[in-house]
Amino acid sequence: MNMKAFFPMLLLGSLTLSACNAPKEETKTTTTTTASTAQTETAAAPASGGACMDRIRKDGLRVITSPDYPPYESTNEQNEIVGFDVDMVNAMAQEIGVEAKFTGQGFDGLIPSLISGRADLIAAGLTMTEERAKSVAFSDPYEETKNVIVVSAKDTAIKDAATLNGKKVGVQLGTVQADMAEKIEGADVRTFNLFSEALAALKAGQIDSMIVDAPAGQNYVKANSDIKLAGEMDGGNKALATQLECTDLVAELNAALATLQQNGELDKLRAKWFSEQAQ
């Protein structure tokens, strides 16, 4: 399999993008990494004037994610939200001196929830794009990834994007991968609320392939012997996202991210979640 390269970046790179999930909202919440069933929070008034940190220092950092995209975020057997993004944000929150409180929901609803004031931060393997930058403020990027094509282990025809012509291609609704698939000539694009649903359809023979982030694709292949990686596609930079008005939070996030990059903590988390041995 092709392992993608991770590297720290301190300046905002090209604004391209990817992510994961669906419009249906779940109600898992966590303090740091623990998820418990709870009702969705009542929307708070969006922050303004760069004064987000005053409330965050008082009430905690409300983080939303879509926990069905390992190794970035998923739920374990104890229904806890875990993953690279979770550990990274918890470490950043510790640097800032606040407590991170995680809530899980569908990917497609993350940005609307953020804009409406239900959360302070999106941490969901979110790829930076120019279109998204019109609605949210991005932190500095924390990694760059490629996308990969996942197919049945028995497939010998699909080798790259060009060979998806005439093939059923599964993607998650609202993602960068969905946008990429729509540009593939002759591809029969099938959208799913969750990447896990697309994976199930692939394993059942209902679609011929799916396009996902390289780390997620590699994770799926490690866990399922009946699928394989068939090719690599362009990717983009991943970052955290907050409300456009929260310039003070962005500054705190960037400073914390720089510290984790410099002290080696980010490399340790990458080794934990993205190495060949990571489960």
Side-chain angles (χ1 to χ4, degrees), residues 19-20 25 27 37 71 106 127 131 139 141 152 167 174 189 231 241 262 265-267:
C20 29
E25 290 200 0
T27 53
T37 302
T127 303
E131 186 62 29
S139 71
S152 166
K167 301 295 185 180
V189 182
Q262 293 166 2
E265 183 63 25
L266 209 58
D267 288 336

Side-chain angles (χ1 to χ4, degrees), residues 202-247:
L202 175 63
K203 291 165 66 69
Q206 297 169 353
I207 58 175
D208 303 304
S209 64
M210 59 185 289
I211 302 174
V212 299
D213 256 321
Q218 291 157 359
N219 190 283
Y220 288 144
V221 168
K222 284 189 288 185
N224 298 271
S225 61
D226 52 348
I227 61 173
K228 65 180 181 180
L229 302 184
E232 191 174 78
M233 300 177 67
D234 290 339
N237 294 319
K238 294 189 181 301
L240 304 171
T242 187
Q243 294 174 7
L244 288 171
E245 299 87 350
C246 292
T247 55

